[in-house]
């Protein structure tokens, strides 16, 4: 059995990660799931949250929102609607998005607008926690 997995994370416009990794943890819509080499074939829709993967004793973080993850053989393919490596996340932008979303949520508004604002808040919070986790792990290159 292989000791590593090939992880590819792509969005409609770019390749975000292509790496040999030891473990992948991802935010499935039904909850977090983990993949080690030798995992059975598997397909899951992705929610909003942080994917992480381990290489050489280090943990790397990637924000993902929507899309699918497929495990086949020793390959994990993530087709995400939106994905950013931790070091690409603009914390100030996420803070502003959080603020806007909170203001929209506190207004009395249509259920659909509220659902959109709640999803925007989830994205902003997950982006900030992704960046913070990577900084704690020492795997983010920007301060
Ligand atoms: P915003 O309101 O700041 O645009 P959003 O959650 O609505 O945030 P998305 O629709 O998830 O944004 O993403 C739109 C594009 O902007 C994507 O390409 C995404 O990678 C990028 N993006 C959004 N927020 C950030 C951020 N804080 N840092 C880096 N890239 C971001």
């Amino acid at each position: 059995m292989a000791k590593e997995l090939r992880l590819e994370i792509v969005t409609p416009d770019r390749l975000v990660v292509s790496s040999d990794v030891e473990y992948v943890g991802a935010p499935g819509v039904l909850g977090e799931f983990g993949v080690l080499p030798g995992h059975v074939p598997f397909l899951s829709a992705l929610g909003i949250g942080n994917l992480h993967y381990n290489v050489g004793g280090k943990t790397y973080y990637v924000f993902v929102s929507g899309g699918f993850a497929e495990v086949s053989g020793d390959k994990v393919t993530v087709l995400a609607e939106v994905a950013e490596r931790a070091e690409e996340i603009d914390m100030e932008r996420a803070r502003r998005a959080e603020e806007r979303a909170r203001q929209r949520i506190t207004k009395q508004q249509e259920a659909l607008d509220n659902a959109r604002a709640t999803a925007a808040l989830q994205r902003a919070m997950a982006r900030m926690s992704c960046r913070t986790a990577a900084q704690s792990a020492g795997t983010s290159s920007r301060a």
Side-chain angles (χ1 to χ4, degrees):
M1 191 191 300
K3 287 204 194 97
E4 288 193 325
L5 294 159
R6 183 79 194 161
L7 172 65
E8 306 250 317
I9 304 177
V10 295
T11 68
D13 38 271
R14 69 189 180 115
L15 175 66
V16 180
V17 172
S18 176
S19 183
D20 290 327
V21 308
E22 292 139 17
Y23 173 82
V24 180
V29 279
L30 300 176
E32 166 96 13
F33 61 87
V35 183
L36 286 163
H39 200 289
V40 291
F42 176 73
L43 180 69
S44 173
L46 292 174
I48 296 170
N50 295 317
L51 177 151
H52 64 275
Y53 58 94
N54 295 349
V55 183
K58 289 198 160 197
T59 305
Y60 295 82
Y61 295 85
V62 180
F63 165 80
V64 292
S65 170
F68 291 88
E70 182 190 36
V71 182
S72 177
D74 281 309
K75 189 161 184 195
V76 180
T77 308
V78 175
L79 306 171
E81 285 169 23
V82 176
E84 293 130 34
R85 294 191 303 276
E87 65 270 23
E88 297 175 315
I89 292 171
D90 179 338
M91 284 292 261
E92 227 4 85
R93 178 172 171 177
R95 275 191 208 104
R96 288 196 302 271
E98 179 193 10
E99 183 60 32
R100 276 197 309 278
R102 287 197 188 282
Q103 282 172 6
R104 292 199 329 256
I105 288 165
T106 52
K107 285 184 199 154
Q108 291 292 330
Q109 57 183 0
E110 299 291 321
L112 181 60
D113 292 337
N114 207 54
R116 282 198 188 128
T118 302
L121 178 61
Q122 263 183 287
R123 290 195 298 276
M125 306 269 293
R127 281 184 169 111
M128 290 189 283
S129 79
C130 181
R131 189 66 198 261
T132 305
Q135 276 168 341
S136 303
T139 51
S140 180
S141 51
R142 265 169 45 178

